[in-house]
Amino acid sequence: MTLLALICVVRALLPVGNQTEFDALPERLDSALEAGATDIKVRFSPGTFFYGENHLSLTSRQYAPCSISLSGTKTYLVARDTEDGYSIDKGYVDLSSVRPIDIREPVRKARTWPLKVLFRKHVYRIKCREADRSPEEVKDWNIILSQWFKGAVYPVLEIRRGWLYFRKDRDYGTGIWSELRYGRCLPRYILCPPPRQEGLHACGVTCFLSVKDCTFSRLSLDGLTFLGNRDGNALIDLETVHADEISITGCTFLGLKSDGIHAAEVDNLAVRDCVFRENYLGSIEVGEGCVNARIEDNRFFDNGLMMTNAPVILCRGVDYRIAGNYFEDFSYSAIWLGIHYTMPDRFGTRGVVENNEICMSDAFRTGVPRELIDGGAVYISTNNTRTVVRGNYIHDLKGPHGNRGIFADDGAIHVDIASNRVFRVERGLCIDLRRCSRVARSPKSKVRKTNVGNRVFDNVYDGRVEIYVRRDDPSSLARNNRYAESE
């Protein structure tokens, strides 16, 4: 074999200039891998391409020296339509303007808590200010109803004489009267009718890239725009992937109905300089066993449109860094850290969240709030090996009740909260590190001593705080936290 032939085998360029080449990409990528290519570059031309479920799927591939990159400019990747009719799980896209279309109506407040309808199984009603609509008119309509920290989705049955009737056909783990019990506030709701605009593209599949049980040198995505998909697992699904780097840079994620990026037991994930806008659930999940994840310098605008407790970033990794990001408008939390007390900390979750800005826009804070009750811009679960939240700027937050800037819940352990600035938090605490001894007594709890190893210092705030430090724990402290006027 000549040197030139050897170079051609080692390096493979796979151009994608039309839909036919895009459809053939999985086979072309397989062929390059089987031929022993170690540097595979997929280059997209400008344009719109439609992917099927698990369009690129790599399973049990052990190519340690191999690098795969996918890049494009003005490249839009859109989920195919399965042509199985309307579903609230589908995203809708206007292909002419290349933008997602939100079918939801504005957030409204119910005028009563949900009331059981006598002699009609699983049927409830709420008082509202909606026009009457017959059962035929609301066929395929849904309501997203706030239930404590969940947004419950139920089918609408009819709207009659100022009452909206719906069927409670699922259990969300929160009581239907949770708003009244917890916050003494009325629930909020969002009506979701089928799209009224003609000619929209319906997104019928979820996953573009699935990589499981693989080893590579490097896997990268750069400059791609993902536009709409269907609720499901995740758009990019990574599980048990070992690489020197898995890089997602300069990409845009718009109108996703599913989670954006999911990683579990993945090494060296880096998400940088990306934009996540108007997505319905979570944007990035760094799951247990992920080592050295870097979520840096991204921008997140108006995510969590389903009004539920899907955080913008959920992180349970090891040696992670979430830094330099900007978050604006969300339904529960911008960043969720740590592990619930009913789950063991198997890998030793630890990392740093620093120098992020988290806020809500003036428009988002006007009118009926979409923010759920009992949340936090930075939310920290109980079980942590060492979680550090420092140098963040958190401001202008508003929700119905119990909304915090930084919230360490359920007797959180081994948390540093340091040098943060937290201002203008309405109807909630700027910092809430709450005592919760009942967790240690719960038979389901994996944490047998709560509120230990916590250090809270050098924070500045302009509202109320609650900082609980155990007197019998020498590893905990609270010092030099001070009130100051809003910036």
Side-chain angles (χ1 to χ4, degrees), residues 238-242 263-267 286-291 346-347:
L238 310 171
E239 294 186 15
T240 319
V241 185
H242 303 289
E265 296 190 45
V266 170
D267 296 341
V286 178
E288 292 184 79
C290 289
V291 178
R346 296 181 300 151
F347 298 93

Side-chain angles (χ1 to χ4, degrees), residues 158-403:
E158 65 176 322
I159 305 173
R160 175 165 48 88
R161 296 180 179 177
W163 290 93
L164 187 152
Y165 294 79
F166 64 92
R167 183 178 302 278
K168 184 179 179 296
D169 57 356
R170 290 180 57 187
D171 183 7
Y172 284 84
T174 54
I176 200 165
W177 296 290
S178 293
E179 306 287 272
L180 178 67
R181 181 186 68 82
Y182 177 84
R184 299 296 187 270
C185 48
L186 294 171
R188 284 142 301 126
Y189 68 91
I190 302 172
L191 285 176
C192 300
R196 297 184 175 94
Q197 184 176 333
E198 297 292 332
L200 296 180
H201 172 81
C203 298
V205 301
T206 300
C207 184
F208 166 69
L209 174 64
S210 174
V211 185
K212 298 185 179 182
D213 189 27
C214 290
T215 300
F216 296 99
S217 172
R218 188 171 188 269
L219 178 63
S220 66
L221 286 77
D222 180 70
L224 305 174
T225 296
F226 296 93
L227 182 61
N229 74 341
R230 184 174 188 152
D231 190 15
N233 290 327
L235 174 79
I236 297 172
D237 193 10
L238 310 171
E239 294 186 15
T240 319
V241 185
H242 303 289
D244 293 334
E245 185 177 45
I246 300 172
S247 173
I248 302 172
T249 58
C251 292
T252 302
F253 301 80
L254 297 173
L256 302 182
K257 276 297 186 85
S258 77
D259 290 335
I261 301 166
H262 167 262
E265 296 190 45
V266 170
D267 296 341
N268 304 315
L269 172 66
V271 183
R272 296 189 175 101
D273 298 314
C274 293
V275 175
F276 297 78
R277 185 186 294 273
E278 297 173 21
N279 299 303
Y280 288 76
L281 295 175
S283 294
I284 303 171
E285 179 179 352
V286 178
E288 292 184 79
C290 289
V291 178
N292 194 41
R294 295 291 184 266
I295 315 298
E296 298 169 333
D297 302 320
N298 304 285
R299 290 168 291 163
F300 302 87
F301 300 96
D302 200 16
N303 293 288
L305 299 185
M306 289 301 288
M307 195 171 69
T308 193
N309 66 327
V312 180
I313 295 178
L314 171 61
C315 188
R316 297 179 174 130
V318 177
D319 296 331
Y320 59 81
R321 184 172 187 260
I322 302 171
N325 303 286
Y326 177 79
F327 301 83
E328 181 180 284
D329 301 345
F330 46 89
S331 290
Y332 189 72
S333 61
I335 304 172
W336 185 321
L337 307 165
I339 298 173
H340 194 262
Y341 62 82
T342 58
M343 301 164 57
D345 186 2
R346 296 181 300 151
F347 298 93
T349 180
R350 60 182 180 269
V352 177
V353 175
E354 61 184 352
N355 303 328
N356 302 283
E357 182 176 356
I358 305 173
C359 64
M360 293 176 179
S361 65
D362 291 344
F364 189 84
R365 290 181 288 114
T366 301
V368 180
R370 195 181 79 212
E371 173 81 352
L372 294 167
I373 63 176
D374 196 20
V378 177
Y379 180 97
I380 308 168
S381 290
T382 310
N383 216 347
N384 304 269
T385 295
R386 175 55 61 191
T387 290
V388 178
V389 179
R390 68 188 178 202
N392 301 285
Y393 179 36
I394 302 169
H395 61 98
D396 295 296
L397 306 179
K398 182 179 180 180
H401 181 79
N403 306 103

Side-chain angles (χ1 to χ4, degrees), residues 5-238:
L6 179 62
I7 293 173
C8 289
V9 171
V10 171
R11 294 185 179 179
L13 176 62
L14 306 181
V16 178
N18 54 52
Q19 186 65 40
T20 300
E21 291 179 342
F22 183 61
D23 291 340
L25 182 58
E27 291 75 22
R28 296 164 67 196
L29 182 59
D30 276 342
S31 296
L33 288 169
E34 293 303 321
T38 56
D39 186 7
I40 302 172
K41 298 183 185 300
V42 179
R43 295 291 181 264
F44 290 90
S45 298
T48 301
F49 303 89
F50 299 92
Y51 62 86
E53 194 67 76
N54 296 314
H55 192 80
L56 293 181
S57 180
L58 302 173
T59 303
S60 301
R61 304 275 188 154
Q62 308 306 316
Y63 294 120
C66 184
S67 172
I68 302 173
S69 66
L70 292 82
S71 65
T73 302
K74 295 184 179 179
T75 300
Y76 297 89
L77 302 183
V78 183
R80 285 188 188 275
D81 186 4
T82 49
E83 299 183 353
D84 54 352
Y86 166 76
S87 170
I88 191 175
D89 293 336
K90 290 184 178 182
Y92 290 86
V93 172
D94 183 347
L95 295 175
S96 61
S97 61
V98 203
R99 63 186 181 91
I101 300 299
D102 185 5
I103 64 172
R104 305 169 316 134
E105 296 194 352
V107 185
R108 297 185 175 99
K109 183 185 288 188
R111 301 178 67 189
T112 63
W113 57 87
L115 302 174
K116 183 77 176 67
V117 178
L118 297 178
F119 312 118
R120 296 182 67 181
K121 190 174 183 180
H122 303 308
V123 176
Y124 289 77
R125 64 178 183 167
I126 55 173
K127 191 74 171 173
C128 65
R129 291 187 176 93
E130 304 287 347
D132 285 3
R133 295 186 181 271
S134 67
E136 293 75 21
E137 290 178 295
V138 297
K139 183 179 182 295
D140 293 329
W141 285 44
N142 290 274
I143 181 175
I144 306 173
L145 183 70
S146 63
Q147 288 183 196
W148 191 358
F149 56 88
K150 293 286 182 73
V153 180
Y154 301 124
V156 177
L157 300 178
E158 65 176 322
I159 305 173
R160 175 165 48 88
R161 296 180 179 177
W163 290 93
L164 187 152
Y165 294 79
F166 64 92
R167 183 178 302 278
K168 184 179 179 296
D169 57 356
R170 290 180 57 187
D171 183 7
Y172 284 84
T174 54
I176 200 165
W177 296 290
S178 293
E179 306 287 272
L180 178 67
R181 181 186 68 82
Y182 177 84
R184 299 296 187 270
C185 48
L186 294 171
R188 284 142 301 126
Y189 68 91
I190 302 172
L191 285 176
C192 300
R196 297 184 175 94
Q197 184 176 333
E198 297 292 332
L200 296 180
H201 172 81
C203 298
V205 301
T206 300
C207 184
F208 166 69
L209 174 64
S210 174
V211 185
K212 298 185 179 182
D213 189 27
C214 290
T215 300
F216 296 99
S217 172
R218 188 171 188 269
L219 178 63
S220 66
L221 286 77
D222 180 70
L224 305 174
T225 296
F226 296 93
L227 182 61
N229 74 341
R230 184 174 188 152
D231 190 15
N233 290 327
L235 174 79
I236 297 172
D237 193 10
L238 310 171

